[in-house]
Amino acid sequence: TGSSDPYCIVKIDNEAIVRTATVWKTLSPFWGEEYEVHLQPTFHSVSIYVMDEDALSRDDVIGKVCITRAMLAEHPKGYSGWVSLSEVDPNEEVQGEIHLRVELLEGEGGRRLRCTVLEAR
């Protein structure tokens, strides 16, 4: 139909932590959701999977963005910008990108990561 029903799943070291709401019938979703999660000192990566909800079969993976510990070290004040999706299945073509803002927060509760998925296209 030329549109998608996208949502995101956020995983820390391959463990699903957050699922956003589905934005129905669009190729340019806006979520307006924000989550803060506690990062263990030994974490390796935070991955954001962009999914296409499908009522009749298994949801499709559109692509993913992986934020590694090394990437966060390269941007100690955070990062904001468009990031291209990478493939999850090497047999699938991936098109699209997400506008992402990532901030490392230090506080009394320890180290936290604020990752905001602003929009996608």
Side-chain angles (χ1 to χ4, degrees):
T1 62
S3 69
S4 190
D5 301 317
Y7 66 93
C8 294
I9 295 175
V10 178
K11 294 183 178 183
I12 297 177
D13 293 336
N14 252 352
E15 180 184 343
I17 302 296
V18 173
R19 183 198 190 280
T20 69
T22 301
V23 181
W24 303 101
K25 297 183 181 1
T26 184
L27 292 177
S28 298
F30 173 81
W31 285 279
E33 299 177 32
E34 186 176 298
Y35 302 93
E36 285 187 30
V37 296
H38 178 74
L39 287 178
Q40 297 297 326
T42 57
F43 91 99
H44 291 81
S45 66
V46 176
S47 299
I48 301 169
Y49 288 77
V50 181
M51 308 290 292
D52 181 13
E53 190 165 321
D54 193 338
L56 301 177
S57 66
R58 222 173 110 216
D59 294 355
D60 297 318
V61 180
I62 296 172
K64 76 173 184 175
V65 169
C66 187
I67 302 160
T68 64
R69 185 184 196 104
M71 289 171 65
L72 292 173
E74 289 175 20
H75 302 281
K77 294 186 178 184
Y79 173 81
S80 182
W82 286 94
V83 181
S84 294
L85 297 175
S86 61
E87 76 276 348
V88 174
D89 180 348
N91 297 322
E92 295 289 325
E93 179 185 357
V94 175
Q95 294 180 348
E97 53 188 355
I98 61 175
H99 189 192
L100 191 60
R101 184 171 54 232
V102 179
E103 302 166 274
L104 270 175
L105 307 171
E106 301 285 342
E108 293 176 19
R111 191 177 200 189
R112 295 175 307 169
L113 177 72
R114 178 183 293 156
C115 185
T116 309
V117 178
L118 299 166
E119 57 185 322
R121 59 184 176 202

